[in-house]
Amino acid sequence: LKSRQRAQMVAVVPQSYHVEYDFTVEDIVMMGRNPYLSFRKKEGQKDRDIVARAMEMTNTEVFFKRCYNELSGGERQRVILARAIAQQPRIILLDEPTSALDVHHQIEVMELITKLNREEHMTVLAVLHDINMASRFCQRMIMLKDGVVYTDGTPREVIDRPNMESLYDMKLMIRESPLFS
């Protein structure tokens, strides 16, 4: 695939994203449209509508004209997720997408990611160190130990005492939450 085709197919949400220039939040999210634009084709109303929808989905529309560098870490993370959504990929790669977020926004973002998977048929691959969050939102979990696949399956298959104790090299108690059963 050519780089433009790859960029239209796959979006990446890194754990952190820094910019040197004073781009507005709108500018950052509009960058998600770059794989569809060229020197001859500038962003149009369709692109602005896609960006507005992505910002609405991530509750970042209130930051529309603010400078990206003035946002908190959690706000920035939601803006970068909006940029990935604006890219309209078939696959989204996420590296600790909730690490800079408070609990409310962690749940909100994970519910949005689940919705993208189910309703937009977007393939989602996420690196999550929060086992509770992963077990609540992931259909399939792959646990790595020393860089090698240790176990792979549904959360119910993967999260058991022997696996967790071997993975973390400590005694653990595993309990199922009555809130999410």
Side-chain angles (χ1 to χ4, degrees), residues 43-54:
E43 68 262 4
Q45 188 58 48
K46 177 183 175 187
D47 300 299
R48 286 186 286 280
D49 291 344
I50 290 168
V51 164
R53 179 175 178 263

Side-chain angles (χ1 to χ4, degrees), residues 32-166:
R33 300 304 301 153
N34 284 349
Y36 302 94
L37 305 175
S38 67
F39 289 118
R40 291 187 194 105
K41 183 179 185 270
K42 302 294 181 200
E43 68 262 4
Q45 188 58 48
K46 177 183 175 187
D47 300 299
R48 286 186 286 280
D49 291 344
I50 290 168
V51 164
R53 179 175 178 263
M55 293 180 75
E56 183 180 314
M57 291 172 76
T58 55
N59 292 320
T60 55
E61 70 275 12
V62 295
F63 312 136
F64 193 67
K65 292 295 179 191
R66 284 188 52 198
C67 179
Y68 175 80
N69 289 329
E70 295 172 357
L71 301 178
S72 72
E75 291 167 341
R76 287 181 186 190
Q77 191 68 2
R78 289 172 28 225
V79 168
I80 297 308
L81 180 59
R83 181 187 68 179
I85 292 168
Q87 198 170 326
Q88 295 185 307
R90 293 193 336 221
I91 302 166
I92 188 166
L93 307 175
L94 304 139
D95 182 12
E96 289 290 337
T98 61
S99 64
L101 304 176
D102 60 44
V103 174
H104 171 79
H105 286 111
Q106 286 179 9
I107 301 298
E108 193 176 77
V109 164
M110 291 305 293
E111 286 174 346
L112 173 59
I113 292 166
T114 301
K115 182 178 178 179
L116 292 171
N117 175 253
R118 291 186 180 148
E119 295 178 14
E120 307 283 330
H121 307 289
M122 191 178 298
T123 298
V124 176
L125 177 63
V127 173
L128 300 169
H129 288 102
D130 184 333
I131 299 293
N132 293 315
M133 189 71 68
S135 67
R136 179 175 174 189
F137 289 101
C138 297
Q139 298 170 5
R140 177 180 172 200
M141 295 175 67
I142 300 171
M143 293 188 164
L144 304 176
K145 183 174 181 178
D146 301 323
V148 177
V149 173
Y150 179 75
T151 186
D152 176 356
T154 67
R156 192 170 297 282
E157 294 167 339
V158 167
I159 300 175
D160 64 18
R161 190 174 186 156
N163 283 343
M164 294 294 102
E165 287 183 351
S166 176

